[in-house]
Amino acid sequence: MNVKYLLSELSPNSLSLVLLGLSIGLILSLMGAGGALIAVPTLIFLLDYELEIATTVSAIIVLIGAISSLIFRRGLRALELKTALQLSMFGFLGNFFGSFLFFFFPNLLIYIFLVITMSISIRLMATRDKLSNQANSKIKPTFLVGVGFLAGLLSGLLGVGGGFVLVPALVKYANKELRDAVGISLAFILLNSLLAIYLRRESLELILVSDLVALILAMVLATFVVSLFFPKFKERSLNILYIALISICIIGIILYRIIPEIELL
């Protein structure tokens, strides 16, 4: 790959893309979730991406973030990988359904669904460090079906990983430690993002490769930094930062996307 050529082809938005990549990489590596929910609105507002392109790029960068995070975390234990694969089986079904809805629903409905999803994520992610393990170690089949399908649905519809649903659910209802739940979430995100990208493959032609490279390199750098200093990050501080970023995104979508769409009706 010719690095000088890629640098010469970078768009004026490249600095914003690098900063976005660093932010998503940090959030995804530390929390195992939430990166895409920040990526989609940011790509729409700061870079003026269309909704279809934003969700496709989001799926790609979340995929890369999950891969690099798993590598720097030195993988999953066999039991955790088995759980991730079981969840992914039902996640694939939800992914197909969500991708169908994306091309069927009008943009206004998708924006509304995105705001609802982000609002729920604030509650789930903000309280996950307070969750206690209340279930038996054996995961119930209904848990795998319900949570896996829901996370896959969100991946197909919004281009997000669904980790903000998986992590709290695994801790509270599947008796998983937070660190293990994050690892399972990352593996699930990896598999379902691959499928989401495939189902949106026609949109790939509209994405500028040099910008995507800038995003990916920034994310890999962020996950590497997290792998070195992970113990020094405090869960509460991360939750506050996540809530602040998501709240800004919610306000932006309502003011600059939902309200204008409603006025056009």
Side-chain angles (χ1 to χ4, degrees), residues 62-63 66-68 70 185-195:
V62 167
L63 167 65
I67 292 173
S68 56
L70 284 171
S185 171
L186 290 171
F188 178 94
I189 291 171
L190 189 160
L191 296 172
N192 271 269
S193 295
L194 277 172
L195 179 58

Side-chain angles (χ1 to χ4, degrees), residues 5-264:
Y5 173 76
L6 284 175
L7 291 175
S8 67
E9 292 295 315
L10 289 176
S11 73
N13 294 321
S14 296
L15 179 58
S16 299
L17 287 166
V18 170
L19 294 175
L20 176 61
L22 289 171
S23 302
I24 295 171
L26 287 171
I27 292 171
L28 190 60
S29 298
L30 290 168
M31 308 184 75
L37 285 175
I38 294 174
V40 173
T42 304
L43 290 169
I44 291 173
F45 293 128
L46 295 185
L47 307 178
D48 201 27
Y49 278 29
E50 294 294 331
L51 182 59
E52 180 179 350
I53 306 302
T55 53
T56 304
V57 172
S58 172
I60 294 173
I61 58 181
V62 167
L63 167 65
I64 301 300
I67 292 173
S68 56
S69 297
L70 284 171
I71 291 174
F72 291 126
R73 283 172 175 271
R74 299 180 183 179
L76 292 171
R77 292 179 298 181
L79 180 61
E80 295 163 358
L81 180 58
K82 180 181 178 182
T83 301
L85 291 173
Q86 289 173 334
L87 285 166
S88 296
M89 289 175 57
F90 302 103
F92 289 157
L93 296 177
N95 207 320
F96 275 109
F97 186 58
S99 296
F100 168 78
L101 293 178
F102 177 83
F103 292 105
F104 179 76
F105 283 169
N107 285 351
L108 174 60
L109 196 56
I110 295 176
Y111 284 130
I112 292 174
F113 194 77
L114 179 59
V115 166
I116 294 173
T117 302
M118 289 192 294
S119 300
I120 294 173
S121 79
I122 290 178
R123 173 64 178 174
L124 292 176
M125 298 296 286
T127 60
R128 70 178 193 166
D129 58 328
K130 300 177 182 178
L131 294 174
S132 59
N133 300 336
Q134 300 176 352
N136 296 323
S137 58
K138 185 178 180 180
I139 299 179
K140 296 180 180 180
T142 51
F143 174 88
L144 294 172
V145 174
V147 176
F149 183 86
L150 176 60
L153 175 68
L154 295 174
S155 181
L157 180 60
L158 303 176
V160 302
F164 72 90
V165 173
L166 286 174
V167 173
L170 286 166
V171 172
K172 187 170 184 178
Y173 301 110
N175 200 32
K176 297 293 183 182
E177 296 295 331
L178 180 58
R179 183 178 294 269
D180 294 335
V182 168
I184 293 170
S185 171
L186 290 171
F188 178 94
I189 291 171
L190 189 160
L191 296 172
N192 271 269
S193 295
L194 277 172
L195 179 58
I197 293 168
Y198 173 76
L199 295 175
R200 285 177 163 82
R201 58 192 180 277
E202 294 182 359
S203 302
L204 296 176
E205 299 177 357
L206 304 175
I207 299 173
L208 189 60
V209 175
S210 56
D211 284 355
L212 191 59
V213 169
L215 264 172
I216 291 172
L217 291 178
M219 287 187 61
V220 173
L221 174 61
T223 52
F224 174 70
V225 171
V226 169
S227 70
L228 295 177
F229 303 104
F230 183 84
K232 297 183 179 180
F233 290 97
K234 295 182 178 180
E235 183 79 13
R236 182 173 178 80
S237 299
L238 292 172
N239 287 337
I240 293 174
L241 174 62
Y242 179 81
I243 292 172
L245 292 174
I246 289 293
S247 299
I248 292 172
C249 291
I250 289 174
I251 294 172
I253 291 176
I254 292 175
L255 292 179
Y256 298 105
R257 285 297 184 271
I258 292 179
I259 293 178
E261 289 278 350
I262 292 176
E263 291 176 346
L264 293 175

